[in-house]
C-alpha cells in the first residue's frame, strides 16, 4: 500500500468517525464547531500572509542596501535619498553615527566629516545653493548645500522649504570660508558645514512667534510697562549715568528725520511682547539668551549648594503642605486636604529652625515658595524658588552675616569668571553691567541707611519700612559712596518683622534682623531667631500672635535650644538683578503671577 493510499484510508476513517459524531450532536452544535474551524483557518491564513510580507520586505531591504551607493541615502534604515524626512522616530533602528555638538566645531576640524542635530534657525535658497543656519542651544553654524555630485536641484528645493524651528540631522564636511560668516546668531563663524546629507527629524507645523524676533536687542522694554512700579525722579545719577542718558536721548532724536512736511521714523526691529513670550514659552525659551539665562540660574543653585556643602551644611527638604500659615500672615494659598484645610508653605522658616534644634546645626534648602500676594509687578511672583539657610552660631549672629557675605562674593565672582560666554550672549540683548562687590561686604545699619536717604532729600521715617523707590535710591547712594552693588543693611525696626525675630537688647525698637541688597533691590531677609521659649511666648503675646496654632514649633524650644540665625533668598530675583533683566518673569522657566497659571 502506497503512502497516499494510507493517508486516504486514514482520512476516510476520520470522516466516518466524524459522521458518527455528527449524528450524536445537535445541528446547532455542529454549526458552532464549523464556525470555529473556519475562523481558525482564517487566522492561519493571515499569519501565513504576514510572514510572507515580512520575508518580502527583508528581501527588498537587502537588495536596496546592496544596490545603494554609500554616498546616497541611509541604507541602514531604508532611506534611499540623501535628503528627506525620517517620519516618526519610534526607536526601531540604531546606527553607528557619531554626533558632534555644534559648540565643539572649530577650524581645527577642517576636512572632517561629521553629523550634527539642531533646529533650523533660518534657511535661504538661492537657485543652485542653499544656506541654512542650524542652532543647538545658543550655538549655531551655517550649513551650505550646492549642486555637486549626488547633491541635486530637488534637494536644494527641499532644504529651502524646511520651516524654521524644524529639528534636522545634517551630515557634512567642515570647511573654512574665505571670510567669516556675517550672521549675528552664528557662533561658529570661522567655519561652514558643506552638506552631504540633510534629514528632517520633526517638522515645525506652526509659528505662533518667531525666535529671531524674540532675539532683538531690548533697551527700553515698553512691553514691560504694565509690570513697572513708577519711580520718583531722583537726582542721584552718577556722571557716567548722566552721560549715558544724554546719549540715549540723542539717539532717540536721530531716529526721526524730516522729508519736506512729512515726519519719517526709522523702522525698528520687531519685538515680541512679554505676554506673547510667556504664552508660547516653549518657543521663546529656545532663544540663545534664554538658554544662557537658565544656564546661569543653574549655576547660582550649584554654587549656593557647593559653598554650603563645603562648610558642613546639610541639605533638607521641608513639607510644602502645612496645617497653618508659615509666618502667621494672610498671604497664603488655601487648599483642601481631605476633610481639613491646608496651606502651601510661604517659606521653610519654621522647619529649618526645627532642623537646627534637631542637632543638624547647619541646614539649607532649595525648593518652591508660595506667596498669595496680588502684586503684579516686575519683581514679584506667586511661586518662586527659595534658597534658604539656617545655622547655629557660637557668640554673635554676625557670624551668619559674615558667611552670607562670603557666599555671595563667591557666587558672583565665579559667575562672572566661569559664565563669560553666557553673559556675553545675554548682554547682546539686555543691558548687562558687571557686579561690583567689596571684600569684606559693605554692611550698614538701618539707622545709617535712613540718614543717607534723608541727607539726599528723601522722605523716610526711622521706624518705617523702605519703599521700592527708596530702596533703589539707597542703592544709588551706596554705589556713589562705597562703589558697590552688593551690601547688607542690619538692625531693622521691630515694627515690621515677624514675632520670632530677636529684639536688640540695647533698643527694643530695633532687631537683630537684616536684608541683603543687590543693585538697590532686596534679594533676602534674615534674622537671629528667638531661641528661648519664655521669650518667644512673651513676644508672640505682644504681637497678638496665637502660638497654640504652631505648638509643635514653639514647644521645641523647651527641649534644649541653641542660638541660631538664617536667611531666605529668591533665586529668580537674584538672577534678574545680577543680569539686569527688566522683569523677573524672564528668570522663571514657567512663571506664576496673580494672572498666570498656564503654561
Amino acid at each position: 500500500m502506497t503512502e497516499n493510499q494510507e493517508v486516504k484510508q486514514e482520512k476516510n476513517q476520520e470522516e466516518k468517525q466524524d459522521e458518527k459524531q455528527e449524528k450524536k450532536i445537535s445541528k446547532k452544535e455542529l454549526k458552532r464547531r464549523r464556525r470555529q474551524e473556519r475562523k481558525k483557518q482564517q487566522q492561519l491564513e493571515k499569519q501565513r500572509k504576514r510572514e510572507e510580507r515580512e520575508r518580502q520586505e527583508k528581501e527588498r531591504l537587502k537588495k536596496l542596501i546592496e544596490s545603494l551607493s554609500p554616498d546616497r541615502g541611509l541604507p541602514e534604515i531604508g532611506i534611499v535619498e540623501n535628503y528627506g524626512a525620517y517620519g516618526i522616530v519610534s526607536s526601531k533602528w540604531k546606527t553607528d553615527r557619531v554626533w558632534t555638538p555644534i559648540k565643539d566645531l572649530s577650524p581645527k576640524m577642517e576636512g572632517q566629516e561629521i553629523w550634527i542635530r539642531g533646529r533650523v534657525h533660518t534657511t535661504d535658497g538661492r537657485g543652485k545653493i542653499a544656506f541654512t543656519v542650524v542652532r543647538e542651544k545658543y550655538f549655531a553654524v551655517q550649513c551650505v548645500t550646492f549642486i555637486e555630485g549626488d547633491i541635486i536641484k530637488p534637494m536644494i528645493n527641499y532644504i529651502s522649504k524646511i520651516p524654521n524651528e524644524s529639528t534636522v540631522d545634517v551630515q557634512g564636511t567642515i570647511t573654512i570660508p574665505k571670510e567669516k560668516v556675517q550672521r549675528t546668531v552664528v557662533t561658529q563663524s570661522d567655519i561652514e558645514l558643506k552638506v552631504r546629507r540633510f534629514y528632517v527629524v520633526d517638522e515645525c507645523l506652526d509659528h505662533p512667534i518667531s525666535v529671531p524676533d524674540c532675539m532683538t536687542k531690548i533697551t527700553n522694554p515698553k512691553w514691560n510697562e504694565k509690570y513697572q512700579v513708577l519711580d520718583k525722579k531722583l537726582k542721584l545719577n552718577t556722571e557716567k549715568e548722566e552721560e549715558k542718558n544724554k546719549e540715549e536721548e540723542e539717539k532717540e532724536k536721530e531716529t526721526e528725520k524730516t522729508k519736506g512736511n512729512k515726519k519719517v521714523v526709522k523702522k525698528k526691529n520687531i519685538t515680541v511682547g512679554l505676554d506673547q513670550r510667556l504664552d508660547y514659552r516653549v518657543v521663546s525659551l529656545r532663544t540663545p539668551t534664554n538658554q544662557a539665562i537658565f544656564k546661569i540660574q543653574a549655576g547660582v543653585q550649584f554654587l549656593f549648594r557647593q559653598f554650603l556643602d563645603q562648610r558642613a551644611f546639610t541639605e533638607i527638604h521641608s513639607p510644602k503642605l502645612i496645617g497653618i500659615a508659615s509666618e502667621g500672615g494672610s498671604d497664603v494659598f488655601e487648599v483642601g486636604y481631605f476633610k481639613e484645610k491646608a496651606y502651601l508653605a510661604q517659606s521653610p522658616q519654621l522647619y529649618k529652625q526645627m532642623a537646627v534644634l534637631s542637632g543638624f546645626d547647619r541646614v539649607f534648602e532649595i525648593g518652591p515658595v508660595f506667596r498669595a500676594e496680588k502684586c503684579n509687578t516686575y519683581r514679584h511672583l506667586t511661586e518662586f524658588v527659595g534658597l534658604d539657610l539656617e545655622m547655629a552660631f557660637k557668640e554673635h549672629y554676625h557670624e551668619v552675616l559674615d558667611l552670607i557675605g562670603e557666599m555671595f562674593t563667591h557666587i558672583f565672582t565665579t559667575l562672572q569668571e566661569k559664565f563669560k560666554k553666557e553673559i556675553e550672549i545675554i548682554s547682546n540683548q539686555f543691558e548687562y553691567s558687571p557686579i561690583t562687590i567689596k571684600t569684606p561686604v559693605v554692611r550698614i545699619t538701618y539707622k545709617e541707611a535712613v540718614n543717607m536717604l534723608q541727607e539726599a532729600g528723601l522722605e523716610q521715617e526711622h521706624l518705617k519700612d523702605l519703599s521700592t523707590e527708596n530702596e533703589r535710591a539707597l542703592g544709588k547712594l551706596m554705589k556713589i559712596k562705597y562703589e558697590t552693588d552688593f551690601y547688607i543693611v542690619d538692625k531693622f525696626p521691630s515694627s515690621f518683622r515677624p514675632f520670632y525675630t530677636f529684639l536688640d537688647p540695647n533698643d527694643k525698637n530695633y532687631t537683630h534682623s537684616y536684608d541683603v541688597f543687590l543693585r538697590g533691590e532686596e534679594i533676602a531677609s534674615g534674622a537671629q531667631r528667638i531661641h528661648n521659649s519664655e521669650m518667644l511666648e512673651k513676644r508672640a503675646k505682644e504681637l497678638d500672635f496665637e502660638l497654640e496654632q504652631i505648638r509643635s514649633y514653639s514647644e521645641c524650644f523647651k527641649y534644649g535650644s541653641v542660638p541660631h540665625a538664617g536667611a531666605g533668598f529668591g533665586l529668580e530675583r537674584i538672577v534678574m538683578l545680577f543680569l539686569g533683566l527688566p522683569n523677573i518673569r524672564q528668570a522663571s522657566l514657567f512663571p506664576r503671577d496673580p494672572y498666570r497659571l498656564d503654561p
Side-chain angles (χ1 to χ4, degrees):
M1 188 180 289
T2 64
E3 187 177 344
N4 287 338
Q5 287 174 335
E6 287 177 356
V7 171
K8 284 181 180 179
Q9 188 175 349
E10 287 177 3
K11 192 173 182 182
N12 290 333
Q13 288 175 354
E14 286 176 0
E15 287 176 353
K16 287 178 181 179
Q17 288 176 357
D18 288 342
E19 286 175 5
K20 288 178 181 180
Q21 273 188 325
E22 285 177 5
K23 289 177 182 178
K24 292 179 182 179
I25 60 177
S26 66
K27 290 183 179 181
K28 189 175 182 180
E29 178 65 18
L30 186 61
K31 287 181 180 179
R32 188 185 67 79
R33 289 185 181 184
R34 285 174 177 172
R35 278 199 304 271
Q36 286 181 339
E37 184 65 26
R38 282 198 301 271
K39 190 174 181 181
K40 185 178 179 181
Q41 291 299 326
Q42 288 172 355
Q43 288 175 345
L44 289 171
E45 182 64 18
K46 283 182 180 178
Q47 185 177 347
R48 187 190 66 76
K49 288 181 178 179
R50 184 167 59 250
E51 289 173 353
E52 179 64 20
R53 283 197 300 271
E54 289 176 356
R55 186 190 65 77
Q56 289 176 357
E57 181 64 16
K58 285 179 181 178
E59 284 292 324
R60 189 188 70 79
L61 287 175
K62 185 179 178 182
K63 289 178 182 179
L64 178 67
I65 291 169
E66 290 172 355
S67 65
L68 281 174
S69 161
D71 293 329
R72 289 182 68 85
L74 290 176
E76 64 269 35
I77 59 175
I79 294 181
V80 179
E81 298 295 342
N82 51 354
Y83 67 95
Y86 291 151
I88 296 174
V89 178
S90 51
S91 301
K92 287 185 177 179
W93 44 263
K94 296 179 182 179
T95 71
D96 58 357
R97 277 181 265 180
V98 177
W99 301 92
T100 304
I102 291 176
K103 69 181 179 65
D104 292 342
L105 303 183
S106 70
K108 293 180 182 179
M109 300 171 69
E110 183 183 10
Q112 291 185 27
E113 194 170 80
I114 56 138
W115 278 97
I116 63 169
R117 174 171 287 186
R119 292 184 181 276
V120 173
H121 187 74
T122 57
T123 186
D124 181 13
R126 303 177 185 178
K128 297 181 179 181
I129 191 168
F131 297 94
T132 311
V133 174
V134 177
R135 189 187 73 246
E136 182 184 30
K137 294 184 179 179
Y138 38 82
F139 299 95
V141 64
Q142 179 165 275
C143 303
V144 183
T145 314
F146 52 86
I147 296 176
E148 178 187 70
D150 284 335
I151 310 297
I152 55 178
K153 178 65 174 174
M155 181 175 177
I156 302 292
N157 294 339
Y158 178 81
I159 293 172
S160 301
K161 293 176 182 178
I162 296 174
N164 292 352
E165 295 308 303
S166 296
T167 303
V168 295
D169 285 349
V170 184
Q171 184 191 34
T173 305
I174 293 178
T175 61
I176 299 177
K178 292 180 181 179
E179 296 181 359
K180 284 189 175 184
V181 179
Q182 301 297 315
R183 291 175 185 264
T184 307
V185 73
V186 174
T187 54
Q188 318 308 101
S189 57
D190 292 334
I191 60 108
E192 286 181 331
L193 195 62
K194 181 183 175 184
V195 174
R196 181 181 168 191
R197 292 185 174 100
F198 206 113
Y199 299 104
V200 174
V201 180
D202 192 78
E203 182 179 329
C204 178
L205 302 176
D206 191 16
H207 294 89
I209 56 174
S210 162
V211 171
D213 286 345
C214 289
M215 292 170 58
T216 54
K217 188 172 180 65
I218 296 169
T219 54
N220 183 25
K222 290 184 178 180
W223 45 262
N224 193 37
E225 286 177 355
K226 67 181 267 192
Y227 301 104
Q228 294 287 0
V229 176
L230 297 175
D231 294 326
K232 292 179 180 178
K233 293 182 178 180
L234 305 172
K235 296 181 178 180
L236 297 169
N237 293 333
T238 61
E239 291 181 3
K240 289 182 180 179
E241 286 176 322
E242 287 176 355
E243 288 176 9
K244 188 176 179 181
N245 290 338
K246 286 180 181 178
E247 287 176 6
E248 287 179 355
E249 286 176 6
E250 289 174 3
K251 284 181 182 178
E252 286 179 5
K253 289 177 182 177
E254 287 175 5
T255 59
E256 296 184 355
K257 288 185 176 181
T258 305
K259 272 189 179 181
N261 296 325
K262 294 182 179 180
K263 185 183 281 186
V264 179
V265 181
K266 285 185 178 179
K267 189 177 180 180
K268 296 181 180 179
N269 289 329
I270 297 170
T271 55
V272 182
L274 180 58
D275 283 338
Q276 285 180 291
R277 293 168 188 252
L278 298 180
D279 289 342
Y280 302 103
R281 192 62 165 154
V282 170
V283 179
S284 68
L285 283 172
R286 294 175 187 170
T287 65
T289 299
N290 277 327
Q291 294 285 317
I293 286 171
F294 289 98
K295 188 74 172 177
I296 286 174
Q297 187 187 84
V300 173
Q301 292 178 83
F302 172 79
L303 294 169
F304 177 80
R305 178 179 280 114
Q306 180 192 58
F307 181 89
L308 297 177
D309 187 59
Q310 291 171 353
R311 284 154 182 80
F313 277 74
T314 300
E315 184 169 7
I316 62 171
H317 299 285
S318 63
K320 304 307 168 198
L321 274 175
I322 56 178
I324 50 89
S326 308
E327 300 178 23
S330 59
D331 53 343
V332 292
F333 289 108
E334 183 182 299
V335 296
Y337 191 72
F338 303 105
K339 293 182 179 180
E340 299 179 13
K341 291 179 181 178
Y343 304 92
L344 297 180
Q346 294 167 289
S347 79
Q349 180 56 52
L350 307 185
Y351 291 97
K352 62 181 180 173
Q353 284 186 254
M354 292 163 75
V356 170
L357 300 185
S358 299
F360 290 99
D361 286 348
R362 294 181 166 208
V363 298
F364 74 93
E365 177 173 353
I366 301 176
V369 174
F370 303 91
R371 299 287 170 87
E373 299 173 341
K374 273 207 168 184
C375 296
N376 199 39
T377 74
Y378 72 97
R379 65 175 190 168
H380 286 92
L381 294 170
T382 54
E383 179 186 351
F384 61 90
V385 178
L387 308 178
D388 279 85
L389 66 87
E390 198 79 18
M391 64 176 272
F393 60 83
K394 296 297 188 291
E395 298 174 343
H396 201 290
Y397 75 95
H398 281 180
E399 295 169 33
V400 183
L401 287 182
D402 293 339
L403 179 134
I404 290 172
E406 186 184 347
M407 178 179 70
F408 275 101
T409 300
H410 168 70
I411 290 174
F412 293 143
T413 54
T414 305
L415 287 176
Q416 292 182 149
E417 290 171 6
K418 302 293 186 182
F419 292 82
K420 289 180 180 178
K421 179 64 180 177
E422 287 76 10
I423 290 172
E424 180 187 351
I425 290 168
I426 293 164
S427 62
N428 287 335
Q429 189 166 8
F430 298 106
E431 295 183 334
Y432 167 82
S433 60
I435 290 284
T436 55
I437 187 168
K438 293 286 186 180
T439 305
V441 170
V442 176
R443 192 186 303 164
I444 63 171
T445 65
Y446 191 83
K447 288 179 181 178
E448 291 172 325
V450 172
N451 289 338
M452 288 175 68
L453 291 168
Q454 289 177 346
E455 288 170 7
L458 297 166
E459 293 182 5
Q460 177 63 50
E461 294 182 30
H462 275 281
L463 299 180
K464 287 193 175 181
D465 200 2
L466 299 177
S467 63
T468 301
E469 292 82 359
N470 281 358
E471 275 187 8
R472 289 178 179 173
L474 180 63
K476 292 185 177 183
L477 292 169
M478 293 294 288
K479 183 79 169 179
I480 295 167
K481 186 174 181 179
Y482 297 103
E483 297 182 345
T484 185
D485 291 310
F486 181 77
Y487 53 92
I488 298 173
V489 178
D490 190 17
K491 295 189 181 297
F492 269 70
S494 58
S495 55
F496 48 87
R497 288 305 211 194
F499 71 93
Y500 49 73
T501 306
F502 202 99
L503 297 176
D504 186 346
N506 298 317
D507 188 344
K508 300 299 183 182
N509 288 319
Y510 292 90
T511 62
H512 289 178
S513 65
Y514 39 85
D515 277 4
V516 183
F517 290 85
L518 177 62
R519 299 194 197 270
E521 297 201 43
E522 175 208 328
I523 59 170
S525 281
Q528 176 183 352
R529 325 298 184 183
I530 295 175
H531 57 275
N532 177 273
S533 60
E534 292 180 4
M535 187 184 295
L536 185 65
E537 288 178 9
K538 181 182 177 183
R539 183 61 179 155
K541 193 173 182 180
E542 290 173 355
L543 297 178
D544 292 327
F545 183 83
E546 186 56 58
L547 273 181
E548 186 60 38
Q549 59 184 328
I550 52 169
R551 183 57 57 186
S552 58
Y553 164 77
S554 61
E555 288 287 322
C556 291
F557 299 97
K558 295 179 180 179
Y559 310 150
S561 183
V562 289
H564 58 281
F569 309 86
L571 175 62
E572 290 86 350
R573 193 175 290 190
I574 291 171
V575 173
M576 175 188 77
L577 294 170
F578 174 76
L579 295 173
L581 304 178
N583 196 294
I584 196 168
R585 291 158 183 78
Q586 293 163 288
S588 177
L589 197 66
F590 294 98
R592 292 290 175 262
D593 62 33
Y595 304 101
R596 182 170 292 278
L597 266 175
D598 183 66

